[in-house]
Amino acid sequence: MAEKLLEIKNLSVEYHSDEDILYAVNNVNLTLEPGETLGLVGETGAGKTTIAKSIMRILPAAQAEITSGEILYRGENLLALKEKEMQKVRGNKIAMIFQDPMTALNPVETVGYQIAEAIKRHNKISRNEAADRAGDMLEMVGIPRERLGEYPHQFSGGMKQRVVIAMALACNPELLLADEPTTALDVTIQAQVLDMMRGLKEKLGTSVILITHDFGVVADFCTAVAVTYAGEIIERGSVDRIFNNPQHPYTQGLFNSLPSLEATSRRLKPIKGLMPDPTALPPGCRFCERCEYATEECAKKAPEIYEVEPGHTVKCFRARRDD
Amino acid sequence: MLKYIGKRLLMLIPTMLGIALVVLIIIDLTPGDPARVLLGTNATEEQVEELREELGLNKPFLVRYWEFVKNVCQGNFGSSIMTQRPVFSEMLMRFRYTLVLVVFGTIFSTILGIPIGIYAANHTHTWKDSLAIFLSLICVSMPSFWFALLMIRFFGVKLQWLPISGIEDWKGWILPCVAMALGLMALIARQMRSDMLEVLRQDYITTARSKGLSERKVVYRHALKNAIIPVIMVIGGVFGSSLGGSLITEVIFSIPGLGQYIMTGLNNRDYPVIQSGILIISTLFAIIILIVDVVFALVDPRIRSQYTRRKKNKGGKSDDGTGKEAKKANATA
Ligand SMILES: Nc1ncnc2c1ncn2[C@@H]1O[C@H](COP(=O)(O)OP(=O)(O)OP(=O)(O)O)[C@@H](O)[C@H]1O
Ligand SMILES: [Mg+2]
């Protein structure tokens, strides 16, 4: 089997506030093959962004703490790297597109500077060459290069998002962490941005972890899916298997709550209840309280990860019984 | 931008007229009489009345206001009733002292306060930050004369390194400037620290880190350029207010500066000195605020583009905008 590009093992992340400890990510295991595109889905607060920031090691140092785990990138543990070495990885081999384009750009620097800076940092080239390549990147995302000298406030939200994308792709990263890159955009631009990312993926062979709420985008863009719930990955498999044979009651619930084109008459069935409070997680299965199949065992003991078919894993006791 | 500066300078005229009016009203309402002060308690009522007539104090308020404005427009700021010396040249002479004090005080406090603030912000939750906060709290809350006296005692009397009063050579400036700077430095450091902490939390700082930039670049380029903007405001305010606030330092170290001059004027009810002195200082303050605004625009592209937009559509609206701002500046002055 080919070398894995990324292998997250037992990752746990906590946020500390004055009194509480918030368990944002709990024992997450996740692997990514080279060239793979993984959709990371899950409701708000499930810990998706936290996982991505852990990979980049850009969690807010004052509050966040990675309490356990390894993040192997081509076999090398990123969490053990010195800060200096990690800087060579960030923005170069692994890049991230941020969730909120409105706040992701520095308001007092020109867009051109902000893109060129990333290029200059990781390549031995002159300032002019870097600016030139920044212009190329801007054109690639569909913004005329004349606008290099403008400031973020002169761009619309969608254009800012493109700038953020251009910035992330500036050094041809091997792995791109795209945190809801299209949520802030309208549908046509969304499609354009996805097309653009797809093109880059094909051209550069970039692997992508795409964080999104949108199953349509996942179906369209990804090869694999990982479903997060309360800081855990509760199901992972290929897009085909997850869409056609969802195993975890939560995943099934997610699909049931989607409006579908064929069955317009069927009422939507949103999943009842709320995600458990991440400062006081239940001892058993995290989904237990909202689950229609829950048993006594579920409330007491957390399920392990079971493989239901090759490459398709589920964190639910029902999957065990199916064996 | 230039046009904007021009407009703001024009706005100084009504501002100054307003200040002149306010100063004259206050003088009018304050008890005390320069003629009485000049002649002493032994003079008769008639003598006092005669002198009042001679000094023009009996003229109606509006006439006095008009004459004051007219004279100022002709560059005539009047002469002191007590010393007969012209106020303007007297102030110019003393201005040197105050300016040195204020400029060096501001420079000292800025070049120390900013790094301390940045350092503290980058070491939160450590004893270094706590120490910086503690010291700056002491500096902010202790009156500056207390520091001045402490330093005089220690460096002047005990160690005899530095002169304790008067300005003979550069050494004489050290203690007054430091005394002036300490409180201001703490003010700037605290502002810098809180702005820096605020900015370091922002998403674009995470973005900057995600590009693999060094911590130094993240802090000193991306964060500082944003965090410094409110600090510039504070420095401008510090500079402006210490023009008037240098008085205490001037008195303690016997420096013949502006503060002392106006203080003496106030004690003697020396109206020309008070009127012209306050007018000149207020105008300086308004100019400093203008400079701060310009520096603001230079640092922050969002503000800068506001001015350029104003330049493009020369509507009546833009006039309203500048008018309001100038009034605001006036109010702070
Ligand atoms: N800086 C922080 N300090 C404290 N808690 C945080 C911080 N950032 C995130 N959290 C908490 O960690 C949990 C996971 O947050 P995260 O941002 O990873 O969610 P997410 O899955 O990305 O959600 P969304 O879909 O809304 O972006 C949430 O409960 C959130 O409140
Ligand atoms: Mg998120």
Side-chain angles (χ1 to χ4, degrees):
Chain A
M1 205 171 158
E3 188 198 27
K4 295 199 169 57
L5 183 69
L6 184 76
E7 209 175 346
I8 301 179
K9 288 183 180 167
N10 290 323
L11 179 72
S12 297
V13 183
E14 296 170 0
Y15 288 104
H16 297 257
S17 64
D18 289 340
E19 301 284 292
D20 288 332
I21 298 177
L22 188 151
Y23 300 93
V25 175
N26 306 292
N27 275 312
V28 158
N29 289 282
L30 194 65
T31 54
L32 193 74
E33 313 286 339
E36 199 175 17
T37 308
L38 175 79
L40 197 59
V41 296
E43 64 193 285
T44 178
K48 306 179 296 292
T49 303
T50 307
I51 294 175
K53 285 187 175 169
S54 308
I55 300 172
M56 295 284 281
R57 277 181 44 190
I58 48 172
L59 289 164
Q63 302 101 35
E65 189 191 347
I66 297 180
T67 47
S68 78
E70 290 182 336
I71 297 176
L72 304 179
Y73 180 77
R74 293 195 181 282
E76 192 176 25
N77 186 5
L78 295 181
L79 298 183
L81 284 185
K82 290 211 180 71
E83 172 61 25
K84 272 262 154 59
E85 285 160 34
M86 191 63 211
Q87 282 169 7
K88 290 182 197 145
V89 176
R90 270 186 218 130
N92 188 22
K93 291 183 176 146
I94 309 179
M96 183 160 172
I97 298 170
F98 290 92
Q99 194 165 359
D100 185 357
M102 304 311 281
T103 57
L105 294 171
N106 188 339
V108 302
E109 301 282 4
T110 64
V111 159
Y113 173 82
Q114 294 187 60
I115 301 174
E117 182 185 45
I119 300 171
K120 192 146 185 311
R121 172 73 179 163
H122 300 294
N123 299 281
K124 284 203 179 74
I125 54 174
S126 72
R127 186 178 295 229
N128 282 341
E129 280 171 301
D132 210 42
R133 271 179 57 186
D136 295 344
M137 293 310 295
L138 215 52
E139 275 180 345
M140 191 189 73
V141 296
I143 298 174
R145 69 187 311 135
E146 289 75 54
R147 305 197 62 171
L148 275 178
E150 292 185 15
Y151 290 89
H153 72 269
Q154 292 164 291
F155 289 74
S156 72
M159 289 163 93
K160 277 186 209 163
Q161 185 64 294
R162 289 163 184 234
V163 171
V164 172
I165 293 173
M167 214 154 76
L169 296 175
C171 295
N172 303 337
E174 287 177 315
L175 172 61
L176 180 65
L177 311 172
D179 193 354
E180 308 193 22
T182 57
T183 325
L185 310 176
D186 64 56
V187 186
T188 37
I189 313 255
Q190 228 175 59
Q192 280 175 26
V193 167
L194 284 178
D195 273 344
M196 193 185 80
M197 282 177 41
R198 201 189 330 264
L200 291 165
K201 215 175 70 180
E202 276 155 20
K203 205 165 73 194
L204 309 170
T206 307
S207 306
V208 180
I209 295 181
L210 178 74
I211 299 175
T212 179
H213 296 275
D214 188 341
F215 273 106
V217 171
V218 173
D220 190 25
F221 190 71
C222 300
T223 53
V225 187
V227 183
T228 50
Y229 185 78
E232 295 180 329
I233 291 189
I234 50 110
E235 186 160 8
R236 189 214 194 277
S238 66
V239 166
D240 172 52
R241 292 331 297 155
I242 301 277
F243 275 63
N244 293 316
N245 186 23
Q247 289 293 311
H248 198 287
Y250 177 66
T251 319
Q252 291 167 357
L254 283 181
F255 281 112
N256 281 336
S257 61
L258 290 177
S260 90
L261 285 178
E262 301 98 62
T264 37
S265 60
R266 217 179 73 197
R267 299 222 8 226
L268 298 182
K269 281 200 297 181
I271 308 170
K272 287 195 191 74
L274 294 171
M275 214 171 63
D277 177 2
T279 57
L281 290 171
C285 173
R286 307 278 149 83
F287 188 59
C288 176
E289 274 185 19
R290 299 166 79 181
C291 181
E292 47 184 313
Y293 308 104
T295 63
E296 268 178 39
E297 189 187 16
C298 299
K300 282 194 207 118
K301 215 171 99 197
E304 284 163 39
I305 295 170
Y306 306 100
E307 188 163 40
V308 284
E309 39 193 350
H312 183 178
T313 52
V314 184
K315 196 167 188 172
C316 178
F317 288 122
R318 293 179 74 231
R320 179 191 56 184
R321 280 179 209 121
D322 286 346
D323 270 355
Chain B
M1 194 73 213
L2 272 178
K3 193 165 175 181
Y4 172 72
I5 297 173
K7 261 185 202 161
R8 285 286 299 271
L9 284 174
L10 275 182
M11 284 307 297
L12 275 181
I13 296 172
T15 309
M16 285 170 74
L17 284 175
I19 292 170
L21 186 65
V22 171
V23 173
L24 254 73
I25 290 176
I26 291 177
I27 288 176
D28 222 42
L29 296 177
T30 327
D33 184 347
R36 175 58 76 187
V37 176
L38 205 60
L39 295 174
T41 36
N42 292 334
T44 63
E45 204 56 45
E46 266 148 38
Q47 285 173 305
V48 171
E49 194 53 34
E50 205 173 301
L51 189 61
R52 281 184 64 87
E53 196 64 45
E54 197 187 313
L55 293 173
L57 295 176
N58 285 339
K59 287 183 196 156
F61 177 79
L62 279 179
V63 174
R64 271 182 289 143
Y65 180 58
W66 167 244
E67 281 180 354
F68 178 50
V69 170
K70 198 177 71 187
N71 287 336
V72 168
C73 287
Q74 290 165 352
N76 176 10
F77 286 84
S79 297
S80 160
I81 297 177
M82 301 292 149
T83 62
Q84 306 299 328
R85 294 219 205 101
V87 176
F88 191 75
S89 58
E90 191 82 350
M91 281 187 77
L92 210 60
M93 216 174 69
R94 289 157 177 271
F95 185 59
R96 284 207 318 262
Y97 291 97
T98 303
L99 197 66
V100 171
L101 202 57
V102 171
V103 166
F104 279 96
T106 309
I107 290 178
F108 263 175
S109 51
T110 304
I111 58 176
L112 286 175
I114 286 181
I116 291 175
I118 296 174
Y119 185 83
N122 281 298
H123 292 83
T124 41
H125 308 298
T126 67
W127 64 269
K128 297 167 187 164
D129 179 40
S130 313
L131 182 72
I133 295 178
F134 178 69
L135 288 182
S136 69
L137 200 67
I138 290 183
C139 292
V140 167
S141 41
M142 289 300 168
S144 64
F145 69 82
W146 183 72
F147 278 121
L149 294 176
L150 265 186
M151 284 192 302
I152 288 176
R153 235 194 105 72
F154 191 71
F155 293 106
V157 179
K158 207 147 175 215
L159 297 175
Q160 305 217 330
W161 284 354
L162 297 166
I164 56 171
S165 99
I167 304 290
E168 263 127 44
D169 55 357
W170 62 271
K171 271 190 185 162
W173 283 111
I174 294 180
L175 285 185
C177 287
V178 171
M180 195 75 185
L182 270 178
L184 305 178
M185 175 196 81
L187 201 71
I188 292 172
R190 288 167 66 82
Q191 182 73 35
M192 188 73 237
R193 175 180 178 275
S194 69
D195 289 338
M196 198 69 185
L197 281 177
E198 178 62 33
V199 167
L200 284 173
R201 270 209 305 274
Q202 301 296 316
D203 284 349
Y204 53 79
I205 296 302
T206 313
T207 310
R209 289 218 170 90
S210 81
K211 289 190 259 189
L213 300 180
S214 65
E215 194 59 24
R216 218 181 56 218
K217 194 98 187 222
V218 171
V219 171
Y220 288 96
R221 172 105 199 201
H222 285 269
L224 184 58
K225 226 171 153 181
N226 282 282
I228 199 88
I229 294 173
V231 178
I232 294 174
M233 195 62 155
V234 170
I235 294 174
V238 157
F239 189 87
S241 60
S242 50
L243 268 182
S246 62
L247 170 71
I248 294 170
T249 318
E250 285 173 15
V251 170
I252 292 179
F253 292 97
S254 331
I255 298 171
L258 275 189
Q260 273 208 7
Y261 183 61
I262 291 180
M263 199 61 208
T264 321
L266 279 169
N267 283 337
N268 294 340
R269 300 287 182 277
D270 197 339
Y271 291 167
V273 172
I274 304 174
Q275 286 167 6
S276 302
I278 292 179
L279 186 67
I280 290 171
I281 288 188
S282 312
T283 309
L284 276 175
F285 194 80
I287 291 174
I288 288 165
I289 287 181
L290 172 61
I291 293 173
V292 168
D293 282 352
V294 172
V295 174
F296 243 51
L298 290 181
V299 181
D300 192 332
R302 287 161 296 186
I303 298 179
R304 189 160 64 232
S305 73
Q306 263 173 26
Y307 295 152
T308 23
R309 197 170 61 235
R310 246 180 219 159
K311 206 158 66 180
K312 270 178 205 158
N313 51 29
K314 311 169 186 164
K317 240 183 175 177
S318 58
D319 281 326
D320 283 347
T322 31
K324 253 178 232 143
E325 248 166 75
K327 256 177 228 144
K328 218 165 62 197
N330 192 354
T332 19

